[in-house]
Amino acid sequence: MTREERIARLKREITERVLVLDGAMGTMIQGYKLTEADFRGERFKDHPVDLKGDNELISIVRPDILRDIHLAYYRAGADFAETNTFSATSIAQADYHLEALAYEMNVESARIAREAATIAEGEASGRVCYVAGVLGPTNRTASISPKVSDPGFRNVSFDQLRDAYKEATRGLIEGGADTILVETIFDTLNAKAALFAVEEVFEEVGFELPVMISGTITDMSGRLLSGQTPEAFWNSVSHVKPLSIGLNCALGAKEMRAHIDTLSRVSDVRVSAHPNAGLPNEMGEYDESPEHMSHLVGEFATSGLVNIVGGCCGTTPAHIHAIAEAVKGVKPRTPPVVEPHLRLSGLEAFTAP
């Protein structure tokens, strides 16, 4: 099946049932207890800085591990594998002095996810598995100064973000991604740079992939780190006409529900939710069981709030299997008809009467 055929199938399936994203990548990689030598491999044995913890490098040095993780999620019932590219931008990889590898990381991660998808499809006749090419937020923010004494200072510019995201997007497309997922957005300006870059790449390659957008509410204030409410966030990115808008990370399903309800009410596209397995405990670990989490996320679906569900930090194939079972046979949300008005966004949303 060609990518064009998969995209057509995706657009049909999303109207017929609740689709399932995979779960945490970092949680799964940590389970392998990899050493510094594992991250270096032969290719990077003489690299001048430590590489342990650079999970995106796994796409190059241990593709077997990445393939197995994707397969575990597909076999658990996930429709999408998210590429292992959360920090695979030249900006984020600068911490490891691996800026030059960003493009290769994106290509290889998408390619490995596509290999796993093909294997999973071969195990179940008629099944189609999708690859969501991930663009993460980077470790810098265009909206907030990292210097308390200098509010106007920025350690990254819009154009620097745009260039990094363009490189990553090209790699994801070359590797075989079916969609582009701009996720864990804590700064809407970073996201706008990513979305601008994605649209530029689409113009350059001569075709478009569906775009998925997922923000993160960073605490109980109900706002992104850069200050926007969920509705204001939607107003800021709705011009892209994405396949879906949603939230992931930072919160568990219980804490996320009200914000998903807001997006479900105000957006005229599909809605996604992939929360953490509860809130972290005092050790920074996630304790919410697959059974409990699937009950909460399943209620999102039965209440008609979502079209795509999955898991973020702390979730495993067991969580995704339970979630997939909880939404099986549930009718997906029908996007509302939103009347045309002038809708603006600062930190709050404003709708002109």
Side-chain angles (χ1 to χ4, degrees), residues 10-269:
L10 168 60
K11 291 180 177 179
R12 183 176 75 250
E13 283 198 303
I14 204 170
T15 67
E16 299 170 346
R17 62 186 180 89
V18 178
L19 300 181
V20 180
L21 280 164
D22 60 7
M25 177 61 69
T27 298
M28 296 294 287
I29 291 176
Q30 288 168 17
Y32 284 85
K33 302 187 185 305
L34 301 177
T35 65
E36 176 69 23
D38 292 314
F39 279 90
R40 287 178 175 271
E42 184 64 24
R43 179 172 170 182
F44 302 103
K45 64 180 182 180
D46 298 322
H47 194 69
V49 301
D50 289 346
L51 296 177
K52 185 178 180 181
D54 187 4
N55 286 345
E56 287 68 30
L57 194 56
I58 297 300
S59 307
I60 295 174
V61 297
R62 290 299 303 273
D64 56 317
I65 288 177
L66 185 56
R67 189 179 299 106
D68 287 346
I69 292 172
H70 287 317
L71 271 173
Y73 279 123
Y74 280 135
R75 288 166 176 163
D79 295 293
F80 293 91
E82 299 173 67
T83 56
N84 181 37
T85 51
F86 184 82
S87 294
T89 57
S90 56
I91 291 172
Q93 285 300 311
D95 286 352
Y96 298 97
H97 298 185
L98 292 176
E99 301 97 317
L101 264 67
Y103 185 81
E104 182 180 353
M105 287 177 173
N106 282 277
V107 173
E108 288 304 301
S109 185
R111 182 186 63 78
I112 294 163
R114 171 48 50 203
E115 284 184 5
T118 300
I119 294 170
E121 288 169 347
E123 295 173 347
S125 178
R127 185 183 184 192
V128 177
C129 297
Y130 307 106
V131 173
V134 167
L135 296 178
T138 82
N139 52 359
R140 300 190 181 189
T141 168
S143 293
I144 303 170
S145 173
K147 295 183 178 181
V148 176
S149 60
D150 187 359
F153 176 77
R154 298 292 184 271
N155 60 2
V156 71
S157 70
F158 184 93
D159 284 338
Q160 287 172 325
L161 288 164
R162 166 198 173 197
D163 290 344
Y165 281 127
K166 284 188 72 172
E167 179 183 43
T169 301
R170 291 190 194 101
L172 292 169
I173 291 174
E174 181 179 330
D178 300 307
T179 72
I180 300 297
L181 170 57
V182 184
E183 66 147 306
T184 320
I185 298 163
F186 61 82
D187 181 346
T188 309
L189 189 55
N190 283 38
K192 289 174 82 71
L195 295 168
F196 186 71
V198 168
E199 291 191 316
E200 284 193 312
V201 173
F202 287 167
E203 289 184 9
E204 292 170 4
V205 299
F207 62 87
E208 298 182 1
L209 303 183
V211 174
M212 305 163 72
I213 301 174
S214 184
T216 186
I217 303 296
T218 53
D219 56 35
M220 302 308 289
S221 70
R223 295 173 182 268
L224 277 67
L225 184 64
S226 55
Q228 284 193 312
T229 64
E231 184 173 359
F233 171 57
W234 165 241
N235 285 356
S236 293
V237 299
S238 61
H239 64 283
V240 177
K241 302 188 184 306
L243 176 72
S244 64
I245 183 73
L247 297 172
N248 73 288
C249 206
L251 303 178
K254 179 181 178 181
E255 296 78 17
M256 185 183 285
R257 190 193 188 283
H259 309 308
I260 291 295
D261 184 86
T262 296
L263 287 178
S264 181
R265 174 175 51 83
V266 302
S267 66
D268 56 0
V269 301

